[in-house]
């Protein structure tokens, strides 16, 4: 038998990212850091990024107040001082020229590989500062041509006042660990879905957000059993309607749990895409003529259970009641109707 090719690790995947994909990955990671106190995260990269690819704001003042800067670098070789020094100068120039009001409190270089020399310099800010100014002196003519004499001097004057301990390098292992908690990790790296939590029972009393689909079910029961089981109390006491209602509510809560799981585990819109696929597969059944809404309800649920779906990643964690519950979510939004008035 032929051996299957080895699966790439997330770190190996990142080596093959383009610069744009790398910046998207870093943005996803920084968004996951909102819990540390960021009020917003903005991608600012581009040809004129003014020294900041991604800005994370600690206050509503944005770059006029406390903020952090994440500079994304994706090269084949390890990031070294020769690449870092121009970026350090660029952020000082941007502040000196009032493009930003203040320097970021943290300036983080994020690259797949950080060279040992730069790591050592970042660990000793005083030496980083000395070597930075040695670099500016060595490249004075080129920098004068690029910035102009007065703007360059303003940037260097600001750098002289700066505590270079604000400059640091992101740890890729830690970044990947934190990224794994985001909804983007599975899609980006093709890793396994996290384990879905154990199923919980529906609460004894219906919640307000259940009102519409339960109202639709009560209409089904009233039609099916000649006006009986038209209220929750009557349905609960009915030998068949009560059991049916309980099963439908359990399915609804199963699908609601999948919705929450999707929110925390996969990219936005994944669950809604699954809902739309199921709706597309059952709406033709729902539109057929039936003698009773009860028949329409069960025909739709059966169609949802048996339909072939595409490649939605949530299908790998699907439970038997999820599709039935999604039908009730659709009924809750009046996208599906069981008892239909004659036209």
């Amino acid at each position: 038998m032929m051996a299957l090719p080895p699966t790439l690790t997330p770190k190996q995947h990142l080596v093959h990212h383009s610069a744009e994909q790398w910046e998207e990955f870093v943005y996803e990671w920084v968004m996951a850091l909102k819990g540390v106190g960021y009020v917003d995260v903005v991608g600012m990269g581009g040809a004129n990024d003014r020294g900041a690819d991604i800005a994370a704001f600690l206050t509503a003042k944005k770059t006029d107040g406390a903020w952090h800067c994440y500079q994304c670098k994706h090269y084949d070789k390890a990031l070294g001082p020769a690449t870092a020094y121009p970026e350090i100068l660029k952020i000082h120039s941007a502040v000196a020229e009032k493009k930003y009001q203040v320097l970021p409190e943290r300036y983080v270089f994020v690259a797949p590989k950080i060279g040992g020399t730069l790591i050592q310099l970042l660990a000793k800010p005083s030496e980083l500062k000395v070597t930075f100014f040695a670099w500016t002196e060595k490249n004075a003519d080129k920098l004068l041509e690029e910035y102009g004499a007065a703007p360059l001097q303003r940037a260097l004057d600001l750098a002289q006042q700066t505590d270079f301990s604000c400059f640091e390098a992101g740890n890729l292992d830690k970044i990947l660990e934190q990224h794994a908690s985001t909804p983007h990790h599975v899609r980006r790296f093709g890793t396994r879905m996290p384990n879905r939590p154990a199923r919980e029972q529906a609460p004894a009393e219906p919640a307000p957000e259940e009102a519409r689909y339960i109202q639709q079910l009560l209409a089904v029961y009233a039609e099916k059993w000649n006006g009986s089981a038209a209220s929750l109390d009557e349905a609960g006491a009915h030998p068949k309607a009560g059991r049916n209602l309980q099963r439908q509510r359990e399915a609804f809560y199963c699908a609601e749990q999948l919705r929450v799981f999707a929110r925390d585990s996969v990219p936005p819109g994944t669950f809604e895409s699954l809902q739309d696929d199921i709706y597309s597969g059952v709406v033709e059944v729902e539109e057929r003529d039936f003698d009773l809404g009860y028949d329409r309800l069960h025909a739709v649920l059966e169609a949802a259970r048996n339909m072939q779906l595409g490649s939605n990643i949530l299908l790998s964690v699907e439970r038997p009641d999820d599709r039935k519950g999604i039908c009730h979510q659709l009924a809750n939004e009046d996208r599906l109707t069981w008892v239909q008035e004659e036209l």
Side-chain angles (χ1 to χ4, degrees), residues 278 282 300-301 304 323-331 336 338:
I278 289 177
V282 302
V300 166
L301 298 184
R323 298 188 187 193
K324 185 162 70 170
I326 286 174
C327 290
H328 291 304
Q329 290 174 331
L330 295 169
L336 295 176
W338 312 132

Side-chain angles (χ1 to χ4, degrees), residues 92-297:
H92 281 98
S93 176
V95 175
E97 300 308 308
K98 304 301 181 184
K99 305 300 182 183
Y100 306 126
Q101 192 66 29
V102 294
L103 285 167
E105 293 183 351
R106 292 177 64 206
Y107 185 106
V108 185
F109 291 103
V110 193
K113 294 177 283 187
I114 307 287
T117 301
L118 180 57
I119 289 175
Q120 292 170 13
L121 287 172
L122 291 168
K124 194 172 182 181
S126 58
E127 187 173 344
L128 175 65
K129 190 170 186 176
V130 169
T131 58
F132 166 75
F133 278 101
W135 171 81
T136 62
E137 291 178 10
K138 181 179 178 180
N139 295 275
D141 291 342
K142 179 181 177 181
L143 295 176
L144 279 170
E145 182 179 349
E146 181 178 352
Y147 286 90
L152 177 61
Q153 191 58 53
R154 286 193 290 268
L156 295 177
D157 289 345
L158 178 60
Q160 285 286 4
Q161 305 169 32
T162 299
D163 179 355
F164 271 47
S165 63
C166 68
F167 296 103
E168 58 187 272
N171 181 297
L172 187 54
D173 290 324
K174 185 175 181 180
I175 290 171
L176 280 167
E177 180 182 345
Q178 293 169 328
H179 188 273
S181 68
T182 74
H184 306 281
H185 196 78
V186 172
R187 172 187 57 82
R188 183 167 292 278
F189 299 113
T191 54
R192 290 183 58 186
M193 292 280 288
N195 292 328
R196 187 172 168 184
R199 181 172 176 175
E200 297 179 358
Q201 298 296 311
E205 296 297 325
E209 54 267 26
E210 295 182 74
R212 178 56 184 148
Y213 88 89
I214 287 180
Q215 183 183 39
Q216 288 219 49
L217 288 171
L218 293 176
V220 165
Y221 305 149
E223 182 187 52
K224 170 72 173 175
W225 288 292
N226 300 317
S228 63
S231 69
L232 277 174
D233 289 341
E234 291 174 347
H238 193 278
K240 291 188 177 181
R243 293 196 303 271
N244 186 278
L245 177 60
Q246 183 60 27
R247 290 196 302 272
Q248 309 315 319
R249 292 190 63 231
E250 294 291 350
F252 176 81
Y253 274 92
C254 189
E256 285 294 296
Q257 185 205 51
L258 182 60
R259 185 204 299 270
V260 173
F261 175 80
R263 180 196 65 197
D264 299 334
S265 306
V266 293
T270 304
F271 180 79
E272 290 73 18
S273 177
L274 179 60
Q275 279 186 317
D276 289 342
D277 287 345
I278 289 177
Y279 174 77
S280 179
V282 302
V283 66
E284 306 294 341
V285 177
E286 185 246 14
E287 289 179 347
R288 293 177 192 164
D289 291 330
F290 291 92
D291 292 334
L292 295 173
Y294 187 89
D295 300 329
R296 177 177 289 105
L297 166 67

Side-chain angles (χ1 to χ4, degrees), residues 18-41:
S18 67
E20 292 76 16
Q21 290 171 322
W22 174 253
E23 190 166 324
E24 290 172 357
F25 163 74
V26 176
Y27 178 80
E28 292 165 0
W29 164 58
V30 178
M31 285 290 290
L33 301 180
K34 276 194 170 184
V36 304
Y38 294 155
V39 299
D40 198 9
V41 176

